[in-house]
Structure formats: structure tokens, C-alpha cells
Amino acid sequence: MKKVWIDAGHGGKDSGGIGNGLQEKDIVLKLSLAVKKYLEAQYEGVQALLTRSSDVFLELADRTRKANAAGVDILVSIHCNAGGGTGGFESYRYTTATPGSIQLHEAIHTGIMREIGEYGVSDRGQKSANYHMVRESKMPAVLTENLFVDVATDAAKLKRQEVIDSLAIGHVHGIAKFLGLQKKKEESPVSDKVNVIVNGKEILGGKLENGVTYVPLRAISEALDAKVTWDNKTRTVTVTSK
């Protein structure tokens, strides 16, 4: 079982970036929950653990301490940008990142840009920085900055559910690629048609509804070589040999 730590940045008293009616802490929580939902629903053998699943505050040290103690395979810290930008998506690894972090970074960044490109989101690139979440994590770690809350065009996108879904799915695709996850097999739909055989003759058109098999009277008549009639008034089926 592969384990993924999803870290929704900020929370509680720490709102993160603010702009255009948005708070970073709310957007990244919504996005993190969607990543967990899609990852576990679409892929086999994976579990997503969350730093937070509600609007609570945690110190940075507590976040990495919990992730390291959980023995997860990778960590993804999810944020939104703000302050002095022109909009777009960017992602980060540590300044002296391990080969695993570099590979994870490439997979997630590529996966996200592939999903959100249709919305006109600019690619600000793959970068490195001395951020706590990627520095203190003992496993491959990446931090994503999912658009700017204080740039009007980006904020308008973040208010659209389809954009949040695309960002989440982009994260999931990158995680799955890095971990080599296999997609769950889709179950074949159960047919409501029933095969019925009377006196060695197969009756076509049988149907199962709520556990009851329904077969057309005409089909029964032909199979039995008999006359079958239905009296709606008395609700009686009569079978008469021909």
C-alpha cells in the first residue's frame, strides 16, 4: 500500500493569501480533499493522509513531524499564490532536492499543466526554494502554488469547480505516475435481461426488476406451443393447449 501525505497549507488563524473574496486556506483545503477523493477512487493500492481535513491551524514543524512519523512515500504541500505576481501556476522542490523529489516534481508539475492548460493558465515553471515543507520532509516532497488569489483572472478561475477539479486531477496524475499506480478496473454493468428456457426453448425478452423475472406472455405462448391469455380484470393468466 502506497501512502501519500497531502498537506493543505495554512488554516485556522492563518488565512494565507487573501484577495478577490478568496482565502488561500479555504481553496487549498477544498483542493486537498479533492486530491484524496480522486486518488483513492481511481487507483489501486494507495492511501492519502491529510495534514488537516477542516479549518484548523498547525505549525509547520507539526506538519512535517506527523508526515515523517507516518512513514509515507511522498508529500505534496498544496498552496495558492499571492503578492506581486501576474498569475499562473508554479511548483517547488528543495534547493538541494533528492533525485526522488526531482522526479516527483517533474511528474506533478507536468500532470497539472496538462490538465489546466485549457483554462489559459500560464506556466511559471518548476522552481526550488528553502521552504520548510520540502526541506524537513524525509520523503520526496513537492510544494504547489495553484494560481494567485489576488490576481482577478486567476481568482475567477479558482471560483469555478471545474478548475478545482482539473487542478486536483493534475495532482493525482502526477502522483500516480511517480508511484507507478494502477488504475482500478471498471466493473462491468449488470444487465437487467434474463435468459428464460421453457421446455428446452429459450424465451427472449425476459427482464429482471427488483428481483422478479418478467417474461412477455407471447414469448411463453410460443415456447409452450399453447395459447396464453391475460385477464386484467381478474388478473389471471390462462394457458390452453393448442
Side-chain angles (χ1 to χ4, degrees):
M1 173 70 72
K2 298 293 185 180
K3 293 184 179 180
V4 177
W5 194 272
I6 305 297
D7 175 63
H10 311 283
K13 65 181 182 180
D14 178 10
S15 63
I18 299 175
N20 298 290
L22 298 175
Q23 295 187 86
E24 181 182 356
K25 67 174 185 177
D26 298 329
I27 296 297
V28 298
L29 177 58
K30 187 177 183 180
L31 180 51
S32 296
L33 292 172
V35 171
K36 174 179 173 63
K37 172 186 172 183
Y38 292 133
L39 182 63
E40 294 180 342
Q42 295 178 3
Y43 290 91
E44 296 180 343
V46 64
Q47 179 184 17
L49 305 176
L50 301 172
T51 294
R52 64 184 182 95
S53 57
S54 60
D55 185 18
V56 296
F57 174 77
L58 291 94
E59 297 286 356
L60 289 175
D62 290 332
R63 293 167 182 262
T64 49
R65 177 179 56 80
K66 289 182 177 182
N68 290 335
V72 297
D73 294 281
I74 62 172
L75 179 147
V76 182
S77 188
I78 298 178
H79 292 257
C80 291
N81 233 325
T86 57
F89 171 81
E90 63 189 18
S91 57
Y92 289 85
R93 61 179 182 253
Y94 184 45
T95 49
T96 55
T98 63
S101 288
I102 293 172
Q103 293 170 15
L104 176 64
H105 192 188
E106 170 67 23
I108 288 181
H109 190 98
T110 301
I112 291 171
M113 284 309 306
R114 184 177 293 123
E115 289 297 320
I116 63 174
E118 65 179 288
Y119 299 106
V121 176
S122 61
D123 185 350
R124 295 171 58 88
Q126 301 178 43
K127 304 177 180 181
S128 61
N130 187 26
Y131 291 148
H132 175 95
M133 293 305 301
V134 293
R135 183 185 70 241
E136 299 300 324
S137 299
K138 295 180 179 179
M139 69 294 297
V142 170
L143 185 148
T144 61
E145 292 280 7
N146 298 274
L147 286 62
F148 284 69
V149 295
D150 60 349
V151 173
T153 52
D154 272 13
K157 294 181 177 71
L158 289 171
K159 292 176 181 178
R160 298 167 58 185
Q161 185 60 48
E162 62 266 33
V163 174
I164 296 296
D165 286 340
S166 291
L167 285 166
I169 291 170
H171 280 79
V172 168
H173 286 172
I175 291 169
K177 180 177 180 179
F178 176 78
L179 293 177
L181 300 177
Q182 297 296 316
K183 274 206 165 184
K184 290 183 177 179
K185 295 179 180 179
E186 295 185 6
E187 294 184 2
S188 300
V190 178
S191 174
D192 63 354
K193 291 186 178 180
V194 178
N195 295 320
V196 179
I197 299 176
V198 177
N199 291 343
K201 296 180 180 180
E202 183 177 354
I203 298 176
L204 302 178
K207 187 175 182 181
L208 181 66
E209 293 182 5
N210 299 321
V212 179
T213 303
Y214 295 87
V215 181
L217 293 181
R218 181 177 178 181
I220 296 176
S221 174
E222 293 175 352
L224 293 174
D225 193 22
K227 182 180 181 181
V228 180
T229 59
W230 166 253
D231 188 322
N232 192 53
K233 184 176 181 179
T234 62
R235 304 187 65 78
T236 303
V237 175
T238 302
V239 181
T240 306
S241 299
K242 291 182 179 179

